[in-house]
Amino acid sequence: MDVSGESLEKAKAELGDLAGAGVCMAGNAFSHVLLVKGEPEVAGASGNVPALLAGPDGVALHKALGALGYAPEDWGALSVRDVDGFPLVPGTLRLAIATLDPSTLIALDEAAAAAIREAFADELVELESFDAAMLTPGAVVRLLGMRVMALGGFEKSLSDPKAKQLMWARLKQLPPEGEPY
């Protein structure tokens, strides 16, 4: 097996382990952008199947990322709750983020920002700016090689034109990054 085949098998195993642990994910596991949500929507006939970004917030985010220049498939989503609705422990959330390895991490709501703060507390406390360390909505933070931003209530903003404009202004700070070479 060639190196790329080995890498693919490793990624499949790691993603399988996360799924086996109940981690709720959607989208492209090899994307540059990871959208983290505190509360997943519920979809499906049984009413208990989590579906991340399957509603109007997902449609709006998809359009916004496209307008910024991201490819349609260049996003992944992660819930801070497992498939049963229980909060992920900080170590599991951290492992999921490390496994998905995004260059841009976006917390869509306060619950997601709080979970990220807890999972990366040791690194955040080392930042010089209080706003950065607290992941204040709209602040772009460099953390372990990732750009990180808390949007501060994306889904709720969809019903308020001024709040939608604020979300768009925040997202415009995160255009696609060029290749590192």
Side-chain angles (χ1 to χ4, degrees):
M1 181 179 280
D2 66 357
V3 174
S4 62
E6 289 175 4
S7 296
L8 182 58
E9 290 306 313
K10 178 180 179 285
K12 283 181 182 178
E14 290 172 344
L15 292 170
D17 289 347
L18 289 174
V23 175
C24 185
M25 302 170 283
N28 180 357
F30 299 104
S31 64
H32 291 98
V33 178
L34 181 59
L35 305 165
V36 182
K37 188 164 183 175
E39 296 289 336
E41 298 92 343
V42 176
S46 65
N48 64 0
V49 179
L52 280 174
L53 302 177
D57 58 338
V59 171
L61 284 163
H62 191 78
K63 286 181 182 177
L65 291 174
L68 289 172
Y70 288 95
E73 70 281 356
D74 199 11
W75 66 273
L78 175 67
S79 175
V80 301
R81 296 187 172 276
D82 68 16
V83 294
D84 296 321
F86 296 105
L88 294 177
V89 296
T92 301
L93 178 61
R94 187 180 173 104
L95 176 63
I97 292 169
T99 299
L100 296 170
D101 192 27
S103 59
T104 302
L105 180 67
I106 302 173
L108 299 177
D109 51 40
E110 178 50 36
I116 292 168
R117 279 193 298 269
E118 189 173 357
F120 293 96
D122 291 342
E123 291 80 11
L124 289 168
V125 75
E126 296 296 325
L127 298 177
E128 291 183 27
S129 162
F130 181 76
D131 285 341
M134 294 306 296
L135 296 178
T136 299
V140 179
V141 177
R142 284 282 177 182
L143 184 66
L144 299 175
M146 298 178 289
R147 291 184 302 179
V148 180
M149 178 190 281
L151 282 180
F154 185 82
E155 188 171 15
K156 290 179 183 176
S157 77
L158 296 178
S159 61
D160 177 356
K162 286 185 179 184
K164 278 180 19 180
Q165 288 178 343
L166 177 62
M167 293 298 138
W168 176 239
R170 289 176 179 169
L171 283 169
K172 287 194 301 186
Q173 297 179 74
L174 300 170
E177 294 182 306
E179 297 296 331
Y181 45 85

